[in-house]
Structures are given as C-alpha cells and as structure tokens.
Amino acid sequence: MFNTKLRILVVDDFPTMRRILKNLLKQLGFENIDEAENGQDALNKLKNNEYKLIISDWNMPVMKGIDLLKSVRQNPQFKDLAFLMVTAEAEKEKVIEAIKSGVDNYIVKPFTGEILKEKLEKIAQKKVFLKCNEKNV
C-alpha cells in the first residue's frame, strides 16, 4: 500500500497525458498531485514545494525529462526523490541512459493503470517513504 498523502509532480508537455496520469494516480488513492509542462517548470516547482515522487515524460520542449532527472540527482536537496520515467522512448540505449542517470523505474507508453501501479510498488520497495505505515497515514 502507498502513502497516498505524499506530493507528486507529474511532468509532461501534453495536457492530456498529464490528465491521464493524474486520473490514474487518483484511482490509486493519491490526493496531492501537481503538474508541470516541462523539466524547467518542474525544477521551478521543486524549489517551492516538497515532492516525494516525480513522474516525467522524456521528450519535452525547454528541458527534457532526462535532463530533469540528471538535475534532480545532482542536487543534494532532491537526489533521493523517487523518479519514474513514463515515455515512448523504448530504445535500449535510452533505458540504459535513464538507469545510469538514476531513474527509479521506467514505463513505455502506451501503458495501463495496472502497469503504473506495479512500477510504483517496485519503487516503494526501495523508497520506504512511498509506503503507507502508521506514521504517515
């Protein structure tokens, strides 16, 4: 089970994709979901808000998701954030680049709500703060 109270940042340049992700997250019980339309917008929001999970697309204008991931991992303040890449980029080289850059998990579009749940559960096994317990219910 997840800590559904934690804040999530959904980053995608397509409003429809952000809406789909937000709806799927709400179906899983998450309540605090913000959105950003590119990596730079996400970095700006990170400065003023405390997020525990970023779900980001790869290909976006202004700043790509992979560059957002690298920036997050290089910043001591954000380096432990859970980061899920949701993208159409399925090439092995891209997946390897994301793993080397510190992504926690990777989903290739199109995907289902069940796949999203499975990937989040795998991240929660590594990132204890995503799990639900008596202290964070």
Side-chain angles (χ1 to χ4, degrees), residues 28-62:
L28 292 173
F30 291 101
E31 303 164 2
N32 298 315
I33 308 163
D34 290 336
E35 55 185 86
E37 60 186 38
N38 60 60
Q40 187 59 56
D41 187 24
L43 283 178
N44 292 339
K45 289 184 181 239
L46 280 171
K47 292 175 188 173
N48 300 314
N49 300 284
E50 186 179 335
Y51 297 101
K52 296 294 185 183
L53 171 64
I54 296 173
I55 300 176
S56 179
D57 186 21
W58 185 298
N59 291 312
M60 297 176 286
V62 185

mmCIF file of all heavy atoms in Angstrom, residues 28-62:
data_model
loop_
_atom_site.group_PDB
_atom_site.id
_atom_site.type_symbol
_atom_site.label_atom_id
_atom_site.label_comp_id
_atom_site.label_asym_id
_atom_site.label_seq_id
_atom_site.Cartn_x
_atom_site.Cartn_y
_atom_site.Cartn_z
ATOM 1 N N LEU A 28 -5.573 5.296 -7.702
ATOM 2 C CA LEU A 28 -4.732 4.561 -6.753
ATOM 3 C C LEU A 28 -4.803 5.173 -5.354
ATOM 4 O O LEU A 28 -4.203 4.651 -4.420
ATOM 5 C CB LEU A 28 -3.276 4.534 -7.240
ATOM 6 C CG LEU A 28 -3.009 3.717 -8.502
ATOM 7 C CD1 LEU A 28 -1.565 3.906 -8.963
ATOM 8 C CD2 LEU A 28 -3.314 2.238 -8.267
ATOM 9 N N GLY A 29 -5.512 6.302 -5.221
ATOM 10 C CA GLY A 29 -5.720 6.914 -3.918
ATOM 11 C C GLY A 29 -4.876 8.141 -3.622
ATOM 12 O O GLY A 29 -5.007 8.742 -2.561
ATOM 13 N N PHE A 30 -4.004 8.521 -4.550
ATOM 14 C CA PHE A 30 -3.161 9.700 -4.323
ATOM 15 C C PHE A 30 -4.007 10.963 -4.411
ATOM 16 O O PHE A 30 -4.914 11.063 -5.230
ATOM 17 C CB PHE A 30 -2.014 9.751 -5.333
ATOM 18 C CG PHE A 30 -1.006 8.665 -5.126
ATOM 19 C CD1 PHE A 30 -1.003 7.534 -5.929
ATOM 20 C CD2 PHE A 30 -0.065 8.749 -4.113
ATOM 21 C CE1 PHE A 30 -0.080 6.518 -5.746
ATOM 22 C CE2 PHE A 30 0.861 7.740 -3.911
ATOM 23 C CZ PHE A 30 0.851 6.621 -4.726
ATOM 24 N N GLU A 31 -3.682 11.934 -3.554
ATOM 25 C CA GLU A 31 -4.506 13.137 -3.452
ATOM 26 C C GLU A 31 -3.763 14.412 -3.834
ATOM 27 O O GLU A 31 -4.361 15.348 -4.345
ATOM 28 C CB GLU A 31 -5.014 13.282 -2.015
ATOM 29 C CG GLU A 31 -5.798 12.076 -1.529
ATOM 30 C CD GLU A 31 -5.955 12.052 -0.021
ATOM 31 O OE1 GLU A 31 -5.496 12.998 0.667
ATOM 32 O OE2 GLU A 31 -6.533 11.078 0.483
ATOM 33 N N ASN A 32 -2.470 14.481 -3.536
ATOM 34 C CA ASN A 32 -1.692 15.706 -3.731
ATOM 35 C C ASN A 32 -0.846 15.613 -4.994
ATOM 36 O O ASN A 32 0.317 15.210 -4.942
ATOM 37 C CB ASN A 32 -0.796 15.950 -2.509
ATOM 38 C CG ASN A 32 -1.603 16.152 -1.250
ATOM 39 O OD1 ASN A 32 -2.587 16.883 -1.256
ATOM 40 N ND2 ASN A 32 -1.215 15.494 -0.181
ATOM 41 N N ILE A 33 -1.440 15.997 -6.112
ATOM 42 C CA ILE A 33 -0.778 15.860 -7.405
ATOM 43 C C ILE A 33 -0.690 17.227 -8.071
ATOM 44 O O ILE A 33 -1.706 17.882 -8.296
ATOM 45 C CB ILE A 33 -1.554 14.884 -8.319
ATOM 46 C CG1 ILE A 33 -1.813 13.563 -7.594
ATOM 47 C CG2 ILE A 33 -0.799 14.666 -9.629
ATOM 48 C CD1 ILE A 33 -2.886 12.703 -8.237
ATOM 49 N N ASP A 34 0.537 17.634 -8.353
ATOM 50 C CA ASP A 34 0.764 18.863 -9.096
ATOM 51 C C ASP A 34 1.263 18.490 -10.490
ATOM 52 O O ASP A 34 1.635 17.346 -10.738
ATOM 53 C CB ASP A 34 1.814 19.737 -8.401
ATOM 54 C CG ASP A 34 1.298 20.332 -7.111
ATOM 55 O OD1 ASP A 34 0.072 20.472 -6.952
ATOM 56 O OD2 ASP A 34 2.133 20.661 -6.246
ATOM 57 N N GLU A 35 1.319 19.481 -11.361
ATOM 58 C CA GLU A 35 1.797 19.200 -12.709
ATOM 59 C C GLU A 35 2.704 20.303 -13.219
ATOM 60 O O GLU A 35 2.637 21.444 -12.761
ATOM 61 C CB GLU A 35 0.636 18.944 -13.668
ATOM 62 C CG GLU A 35 -0.406 20.030 -13.729
ATOM 63 C CD GLU A 35 -1.579 19.639 -14.606
ATOM 64 O OE1 GLU A 35 -2.504 18.975 -14.097
ATOM 65 O OE2 GLU A 35 -1.569 19.998 -15.802
ATOM 66 N N ALA A 36 3.564 19.906 -14.157
ATOM 67 C CA ALA A 36 4.474 20.829 -14.824
ATOM 68 C C ALA A 36 4.523 20.432 -16.294
ATOM 69 O O ALA A 36 4.375 19.261 -16.633
ATOM 70 C CB ALA A 36 5.861 20.746 -14.208
ATOM 71 N N GLU A 37 4.733 21.428 -17.182
ATOM 72 C CA GLU A 37 4.680 21.128 -18.614
ATOM 73 C C GLU A 37 6.044 20.851 -19.243
ATOM 74 O O GLU A 37 6.121 20.477 -20.407
ATOM 75 C CB GLU A 37 3.937 22.215 -19.374
ATOM 76 C CG GLU A 37 4.534 23.586 -19.263
ATOM 77 C CD GLU A 37 3.660 24.639 -19.926
ATOM 78 O OE1 GLU A 37 2.426 24.557 -19.832
ATOM 79 O OE2 GLU A 37 4.237 25.549 -20.550
ATOM 80 N N ASN A 38 7.120 21.008 -18.465
ATOM 81 C CA ASN A 38 8.457 20.652 -18.958
ATOM 82 C C ASN A 38 9.410 20.570 -17.763
ATOM 83 O O ASN A 38 9.035 20.900 -16.637
ATOM 84 C CB ASN A 38 8.949 21.650 -20.018
ATOM 85 C CG ASN A 38 9.051 23.058 -19.486
ATOM 86 O OD1 ASN A 38 9.781 23.333 -18.534
ATOM 87 N ND2 ASN A 38 8.293 23.969 -20.098
ATOM 88 N N GLY A 39 10.626 20.142 -18.022
ATOM 89 C CA GLY A 39 11.595 19.966 -16.954
ATOM 90 C C GLY A 39 11.934 21.242 -16.219
ATOM 91 O O GLY A 39 12.101 21.239 -14.999
ATOM 92 N N GLN A 40 12.034 22.363 -16.938
ATOM 93 C CA GLN A 40 12.356 23.636 -16.284
ATOM 94 C C GLN A 40 11.237 24.064 -15.355
ATOM 95 O O GLN A 40 11.478 24.512 -14.231
ATOM 96 C CB GLN A 40 12.644 24.722 -17.331
ATOM 97 C CG GLN A 40 13.155 26.015 -16.715
ATOM 98 C CD GLN A 40 14.446 25.814 -15.927
ATOM 99 O OE1 GLN A 40 15.429 25.317 -16.462
ATOM 100 N NE2 GLN A 40 14.439 26.179 -14.660
ATOM 101 N N ASP A 41 10.009 23.925 -15.815
ATOM 102 C CA ASP A 41 8.849 24.235 -14.980
ATOM 103 C C ASP A 41 8.876 23.353 -13.726
ATOM 104 O O ASP A 41 8.610 23.814 -12.614
ATOM 105 C CB ASP A 41 7.571 24.013 -15.802
ATOM 106 C CG ASP A 41 6.303 24.466 -15.098
ATOM 107 O OD1 ASP A 41 6.381 25.334 -14.205
ATOM 108 O OD2 ASP A 41 5.219 23.942 -15.446
ATOM 109 N N ALA A 42 9.229 22.087 -13.897
ATOM 110 C CA ALA A 42 9.310 21.156 -12.762
ATOM 111 C C ALA A 42 10.383 21.604 -11.762
ATOM 112 O O ALA A 42 10.143 21.603 -10.554
ATOM 113 C CB ALA A 42 9.603 19.745 -13.266
ATOM 114 N N LEU A 43 11.551 21.982 -12.256
ATOM 115 C CA LEU A 43 12.620 22.444 -11.361
ATOM 116 C C LEU A 43 12.187 23.671 -10.570
ATOM 117 O O LEU A 43 12.474 23.788 -9.375
ATOM 118 C CB LEU A 43 13.895 22.759 -12.152
ATOM 119 C CG LEU A 43 14.733 21.569 -12.598
ATOM 120 C CD1 LEU A 43 15.930 22.044 -13.416
ATOM 121 C CD2 LEU A 43 15.188 20.729 -11.417
ATOM 122 N N ASN A 44 11.476 24.566 -11.230
ATOM 123 C CA ASN A 44 10.974 25.759 -10.541
ATOM 124 C C ASN A 44 10.006 25.373 -9.421
ATOM 125 O O ASN A 44 10.047 25.939 -8.327
ATOM 126 C CB ASN A 44 10.298 26.717 -11.525
ATOM 127 C CG ASN A 44 11.291 27.330 -12.493
ATOM 128 O OD1 ASN A 44 12.490 27.374 -12.244
ATOM 129 N ND2 ASN A 44 10.783 27.794 -13.629
ATOM 130 N N LYS A 45 9.145 24.391 -9.692
ATOM 131 C CA LYS A 45 8.180 23.945 -8.674
ATOM 132 C C LYS A 45 8.878 23.217 -7.530
ATOM 133 O O LYS A 45 8.457 23.318 -6.377
ATOM 134 C CB LYS A 45 7.105 23.063 -9.314
ATOM 135 C CG LYS A 45 6.169 23.860 -10.201
ATOM 136 C CD LYS A 45 5.045 23.022 -10.753
ATOM 137 C CE LYS A 45 4.190 23.888 -11.645
ATOM 138 N NZ LYS A 45 2.827 23.979 -11.243
ATOM 139 N N LEU A 46 9.952 22.507 -7.838
ATOM 140 C CA LEU A 46 10.703 21.790 -6.801
ATOM 141 C C LEU A 46 11.293 22.755 -5.771
ATOM 142 O O LEU A 46 11.437 22.401 -4.602
ATOM 143 C CB LEU A 46 11.834 20.967 -7.417
ATOM 144 C CG LEU A 46 11.450 19.634 -8.038
ATOM 145 C CD1 LEU A 46 12.626 19.044 -8.794
ATOM 146 C CD2 LEU A 46 10.959 18.665 -6.981
ATOM 147 N N LYS A 47 11.629 23.950 -6.203
ATOM 148 C CA LYS A 47 12.228 24.938 -5.298
ATOM 149 C C LYS A 47 11.246 25.402 -4.226
ATOM 150 O O LYS A 47 11.652 25.803 -3.142
ATOM 151 C CB LYS A 47 12.723 26.145 -6.095
ATOM 152 C CG LYS A 47 13.895 25.838 -6.990
ATOM 153 C CD LYS A 47 14.248 27.045 -7.841
ATOM 154 C CE LYS A 47 15.304 26.684 -8.872
ATOM 155 N NZ LYS A 47 15.546 27.783 -9.810
ATOM 156 N N ASN A 48 9.954 25.364 -4.549
ATOM 157 C CA ASN A 48 8.951 25.921 -3.647
ATOM 158 C C ASN A 48 8.035 24.897 -2.999
ATOM 159 O O ASN A 48 7.170 25.260 -2.215
ATOM 160 C CB ASN A 48 8.081 26.933 -4.412
ATOM 161 C CG ASN A 48 8.908 28.066 -4.978
ATOM 162 O OD1 ASN A 48 9.751 28.617 -4.290
ATOM 163 N ND2 ASN A 48 8.697 28.391 -6.239
ATOM 164 N N ASN A 49 8.185 23.618 -3.345
ATOM 165 C CA ASN A 49 7.300 22.582 -2.837
ATOM 166 C C ASN A 49 8.107 21.335 -2.488
ATOM 167 O O ASN A 49 9.153 21.093 -3.069
ATOM 168 C CB ASN A 49 6.253 22.202 -3.902
ATOM 169 C CG ASN A 49 5.393 23.383 -4.301
ATOM 170 O OD1 ASN A 49 4.506 23.777 -3.570
ATOM 171 N ND2 ASN A 49 5.662 23.957 -5.461
ATOM 172 N N GLU A 50 7.577 20.547 -1.574
ATOM 173 C CA GLU A 50 8.240 19.302 -1.205
ATOM 174 C C GLU A 50 7.511 18.131 -1.849
ATOM 175 O O GLU A 50 6.404 17.778 -1.445
ATOM 176 C CB GLU A 50 8.257 19.126 0.313
ATOM 177 C CG GLU A 50 9.054 17.914 0.733
ATOM 178 C CD GLU A 50 9.122 17.719 2.224
ATOM 179 O OE1 GLU A 50 8.979 18.705 2.964
ATOM 180 O OE2 GLU A 50 9.323 16.579 2.652
ATOM 181 N N TYR A 51 8.144 17.565 -2.862
ATOM 182 C CA TYR A 51 7.588 16.402 -3.542
ATOM 183 C C TYR A 51 8.368 15.161 -3.125
ATOM 184 O O TYR A 51 9.544 15.243 -2.781
ATOM 185 C CB TYR A 51 7.692 16.563 -5.065
ATOM 186 C CG TYR A 51 6.896 17.729 -5.587
ATOM 187 C CD1 TYR A 51 7.502 18.934 -5.918
ATOM 188 C CD2 TYR A 51 5.518 17.630 -5.744
ATOM 189 C CE1 TYR A 51 6.766 20.013 -6.381
ATOM 190 C CE2 TYR A 51 4.775 18.710 -6.207
ATOM 191 C CZ TYR A 51 5.406 19.890 -6.525
ATOM 192 O OH TYR A 51 4.670 20.944 -6.977
ATOM 193 N N LYS A 52 7.703 14.018 -3.188
ATOM 194 C CA LYS A 52 8.356 12.744 -2.885
ATOM 195 C C LYS A 52 8.493 11.884 -4.137
ATOM 196 O O LYS A 52 9.259 10.931 -4.149
ATOM 197 C CB LYS A 52 7.568 11.965 -1.824
ATOM 198 C CG LYS A 52 7.523 12.654 -0.486
ATOM 199 C CD LYS A 52 8.896 12.729 0.133
ATOM 200 C CE LYS A 52 8.837 13.309 1.539
ATOM 201 N NZ LYS A 52 10.147 13.468 2.127
ATOM 202 N N LEU A 53 7.724 12.223 -5.184
ATOM 203 C CA LEU A 53 7.730 11.438 -6.416
ATOM 204 C C LEU A 53 7.568 12.357 -7.611
ATOM 205 O O LEU A 53 6.704 13.237 -7.604
ATOM 206 C CB LEU A 53 6.588 10.415 -6.386
ATOM 207 C CG LEU A 53 6.278 9.638 -7.671
ATOM 208 C CD1 LEU A 53 7.447 8.736 -8.082
ATOM 209 C CD2 LEU A 53 5.010 8.809 -7.500
ATOM 210 N N ILE A 54 8.404 12.129 -8.628
ATOM 211 C CA ILE A 54 8.263 12.814 -9.910
ATOM 212 C C ILE A 54 7.955 11.752 -10.950
ATOM 213 O O ILE A 54 8.643 10.726 -11.027
ATOM 214 C CB ILE A 54 9.550 13.559 -10.306
ATOM 215 C CG1 ILE A 54 9.865 14.675 -9.312
ATOM 216 C CG2 ILE A 54 9.426 14.119 -11.730
ATOM 217 C CD1 ILE A 54 11.206 15.352 -9.548
ATOM 218 N N ILE A 55 6.935 11.997 -11.738
ATOM 219 C CA ILE A 55 6.615 11.143 -12.884
ATOM 220 C C ILE A 55 6.782 12.031 -14.106
ATOM 221 O O ILE A 55 6.061 13.015 -14.262
ATOM 222 C CB ILE A 55 5.187 10.583 -12.805
ATOM 223 C CG1 ILE A 55 5.017 9.749 -11.520
ATOM 224 C CG2 ILE A 55 4.869 9.748 -14.048
ATOM 225 C CD1 ILE A 55 3.616 9.235 -11.292
ATOM 226 N N SER A 56 7.759 11.688 -14.954
ATOM 227 C CA SER A 56 8.111 12.594 -16.047
ATOM 228 C C SER A 56 8.189 11.900 -17.392
ATOM 229 O O SER A 56 8.676 10.774 -17.498
ATOM 230 C CB SER A 56 9.466 13.244 -15.738
ATOM 231 O OG SER A 56 9.857 14.109 -16.795
ATOM 232 N N ASP A 57 7.764 12.624 -18.412
ATOM 233 C CA ASP A 57 7.967 12.249 -19.801
ATOM 234 C C ASP A 57 9.441 12.495 -20.141
ATOM 235 O O ASP A 57 10.145 13.214 -19.436
ATOM 236 C CB ASP A 57 7.055 13.117 -20.688
ATOM 237 C CG ASP A 57 7.083 12.708 -22.150
ATOM 238 O OD1 ASP A 57 7.452 11.565 -22.453
ATOM 239 O OD2 ASP A 57 6.715 13.549 -22.993
ATOM 240 N N TRP A 58 9.916 11.920 -21.225
ATOM 241 C CA TRP A 58 11.286 12.132 -21.685
ATOM 242 C C TRP A 58 11.347 13.350 -22.609
ATOM 243 O O TRP A 58 12.099 14.280 -22.398
ATOM 244 C CB TRP A 58 11.790 10.890 -22.413
ATOM 245 C CG TRP A 58 13.235 10.940 -22.827
ATOM 246 C CD1 TRP A 58 13.822 11.824 -23.681
ATOM 247 C CD2 TRP A 58 14.274 10.077 -22.389
ATOM 248 N NE1 TRP A 58 15.156 11.559 -23.812
ATOM 249 C CE2 TRP A 58 15.463 10.483 -23.026
ATOM 250 C CE3 TRP A 58 14.316 8.989 -21.524
ATOM 251 C CZ2 TRP A 58 16.674 9.837 -22.836
ATOM 252 C CZ3 TRP A 58 15.525 8.342 -21.341
ATOM 253 C CH2 TRP A 58 16.694 8.772 -21.990
ATOM 254 N N ASN A 59 10.548 13.297 -23.688
ATOM 255 C CA ASN A 59 10.607 14.324 -24.738
ATOM 256 C C ASN A 59 9.671 15.490 -24.445
ATOM 257 O O ASN A 59 8.458 15.344 -24.491
ATOM 258 C CB ASN A 59 10.240 13.708 -26.099
ATOM 259 C CG ASN A 59 11.300 12.761 -26.575
ATOM 260 O OD1 ASN A 59 12.474 13.084 -26.562
ATOM 261 N ND2 ASN A 59 10.891 11.569 -26.979
ATOM 262 N N MET A 60 10.285 16.642 -24.129
ATOM 263 C CA MET A 60 9.528 17.858 -23.871
ATOM 264 C C MET A 60 10.351 19.044 -24.348
ATOM 265 O O MET A 60 11.583 18.966 -24.366
ATOM 266 C CB MET A 60 9.258 18.021 -22.364
ATOM 267 C CG MET A 60 8.407 16.935 -21.763
ATOM 268 S SD MET A 60 8.219 17.139 -19.968
ATOM 269 C CE MET A 60 9.839 16.628 -19.380
ATOM 270 N N PRO A 61 9.688 20.133 -24.717
ATOM 271 C CA PRO A 61 10.447 21.340 -25.065
ATOM 272 C C PRO A 61 11.037 21.968 -23.805
ATOM 273 O O PRO A 61 10.679 21.584 -22.700
ATOM 274 C CB PRO A 61 9.380 22.244 -25.687
ATOM 275 C CG PRO A 61 8.093 21.784 -25.092
ATOM 276 C CD PRO A 61 8.250 20.314 -24.855
ATOM 277 N N VAL A 62 11.902 22.922 -23.968
ATOM 278 C CA VAL A 62 12.568 23.690 -22.917
ATOM 279 C C VAL A 62 13.577 22.825 -22.168
ATOM 280 O O VAL A 62 14.764 23.093 -22.200
ATOM 281 C CB VAL A 62 11.584 24.380 -21.938
ATOM 282 C CG1 VAL A 62 12.338 25.252 -20.945
ATOM 283 C CG2 VAL A 62 10.538 25.183 -22.688
#
